[in-house]
Amino acid sequence: MAVSEPAERVPLAPANRAPLAPEFPWPGGHRAAMFLSFDVDAETAWTGNDPARYGELVTMSFGGYEARVGTRKLLELLRQQGLKATFFITGWSVEAHPAMCEAILAEGHEIGHHGFHHLMPKPDDPMLAEEVERGLEVLKRRLGVVPRGYRAPSGEFCEELRVLLKRRGLLYTSSFRDDVRPYRHLLDDGTPGLIELPVTACYDDWLLGLSHRYSRHTIQPREAVLSIWQDELDEIRDWGGMVTTVLHPQCSGRPMRLRLLRHFLDYARSCGDVWIATGGEIANHFAACEARAG
C-alpha cells in the first residue's frame, strides 16, 4: 500500500505563484473572449494510461470515431460558422490518422501540441521529455507544423514540463484551471514562463457525458448543457473575461453533441461582443498588450 507524504512537506505557498492576470482589453471592442479548442486524442484517450487496451477493439472504436466521422463533421460545422479553432493533437494520432490531421490543417485551423501518446505529465517521469520531443517531431515531419501552443494530456502539469516547454520555444499553454483571463506563468526560479490560456472546466465535453460503457458520467440532455454553457458565457461577458472549450471529436462529433455545439456557437455569435479566436490569436494579443504595458 502506498504511503502518503507527510503534510508537513507541503510548502506553505501557492502551487502557482504567477501574479494575478492583468485585465487587458479585448480587441475590436469585444467584451469577452472565447478560446475555441478541441483535443484530438483518438485511441490514445484509452491507451495512454494502459497500452494493453489497444487489443480491446470496441473500446478503441470510441477513439477511432474521431477519424471516421467526428472530426470531419466538426470541420464542416466550423466551416459553416466561419470560425477557426485550435486542435491539440497527440503525435500518435498524426501517425495513425494522417488524413484526419491533414484535413484539419487544410481548413486553416491552428494545430497545437498534446503530447505523443497522451501520457499524463508527472514530476520526475523519465518519459516526460520524450513525450514532448516526439510529439514536436511528428507534427513537424508529418504536417510541417511547429506548434506554438500546448495542452497537457489528462490536464496535468509539473515544473519540469513548464521549463521544458519554455526551452523549446512554445508561446502558450492551455491546461490550468485557475483564472478567467490569460496570464503569464512564473517559473520556480523566478523567471517568466509561457502564457497560460486557462481552461473553463464546464466546457469540457468529456465531463458532460461521453457515451461509452466505462463512463462514470451520465449523458446530459441538450437543454441542461446548453443552459450551463450559456450561463457561463453570459457571466463571463459581464466580467470581461474568457472562456476556453475542451471539446473532443469522439464526444462533440457525435450527432446530438454536434447539434448542441451548433446551437451554442449560434448563441455565442449572436451576442455580438464575444471574440471567438484561436489560442495563437489570443496569446499574441496578450503578448502585445503585455509589451505595451512595459
Side-chain angles (χ1 to χ4, degrees):
M1 185 174 68
V3 178
S4 300
E5 289 284 340
E8 290 77 9
R9 297 187 62 176
V10 178
L12 295 175
N16 183 2
R17 303 172 195 179
L20 296 179
E23 296 192 6
F24 296 136
W26 299 111
H30 291 96
R31 293 174 61 196
M34 178 190 295
F35 175 19
L36 183 58
S37 66
F38 298 83
D39 287 5
V40 182
D41 307 331
E43 289 92 330
T44 63
W46 311 102
T47 59
N49 292 327
D50 185 3
R53 299 192 77 177
Y54 186 79
E56 300 174 6
L57 296 184
V58 173
T59 298
M60 291 302 97
S61 73
F62 284 95
Y65 181 87
E66 295 195 358
R68 297 175 67 91
V69 181
T71 299
R72 174 168 50 86
K73 299 303 292 186
L74 285 167
L75 290 176
E76 289 176 3
L77 172 61
L78 294 173
R79 192 183 315 127
Q80 293 163 0
Q81 296 270 339
L83 295 172
K84 298 299 182 186
T86 299
F87 288 77
F88 294 100
I89 310 177
T90 63
W92 186 95
S93 299
V94 178
E95 296 277 32
H97 303 292
M100 171 184 69
C101 300
E102 290 165 2
I104 295 170
L105 183 64
E107 293 281 351
H109 299 290
E110 180 186 19
I111 290 179
H113 189 352
H114 196 40
F116 179 80
H117 197 215
H118 207 267
L119 300 183
M120 179 186 291
K122 297 179 181 178
D124 302 318
D125 187 342
M127 293 296 295
L128 185 65
E130 180 178 339
E131 271 283 291
V132 171
E133 300 298 340
R134 195 173 179 188
L136 289 171
E137 187 276 330
V138 170
L139 291 175
K140 176 64 174 177
R141 172 171 50 85
R142 297 300 296 261
L143 300 177
V145 168
V146 178
R148 306 176 71 212
Y150 173 90
R151 175 165 289 154
S154 300
E156 196 48 85
F157 235 89
C158 59
E159 182 64 13
E160 297 99 309
L161 180 57
R162 293 202 298 182
V163 172
L164 179 58
L165 294 175
K166 179 183 178 181
R167 186 182 306 135
R168 296 299 278 116
L170 277 79
L171 174 66
Y172 74 91
T173 169
S174 181
S175 306
F176 285 57
R177 289 158 170 78
D178 53 6
D179 215 311
V180 296
R181 300 188 67 92
Y183 62 86
R184 186 172 290 280
H185 280 279
L186 182 67
L187 303 184
D188 282 356
D189 65 3
T191 62
L194 272 58
I195 296 166
E196 177 65 34
L197 307 183
V199 166
T200 309
C202 70
Y203 289 105
D204 186 339
D205 58 359
W206 203 280
L207 303 179
L208 298 171
L210 173 64
S211 176
H212 72 94
R213 54 186 168 166
Y214 300 118
S215 179
R216 66 183 185 276
H217 305 294
T218 301
I219 297 177
Q220 299 295 316
R222 168 192 170 278
E223 293 77 13
V225 179
L226 195 58
S227 174
I228 292 170
W229 285 358
Q230 289 182 352
D231 283 352
E232 183 83 6
L233 181 61
D234 285 345
E235 188 67 17
I236 282 290
R237 290 166 59 211
D238 289 344
W239 291 14
M242 177 184 76
V243 298
T244 299
T245 69
V246 183
L247 305 174
H248 303 77
Q250 59 188 288
C251 300
S252 287
R254 295 187 183 271
M256 182 269 281
R257 291 292 171 185
L258 188 77
R259 174 170 290 201
L260 164 62
L261 180 58
R262 181 186 299 114
H263 290 171
F264 174 66
L265 291 176
D266 285 341
Y267 176 77
R269 292 171 61 229
S270 74
C271 293
D273 57 7
V274 179
W275 180 40
I276 305 176
T278 66
E281 290 171 328
I282 296 171
N284 280 339
H285 173 71
F286 177 91
C289 290
E290 186 181 52
R292 286 195 295 270

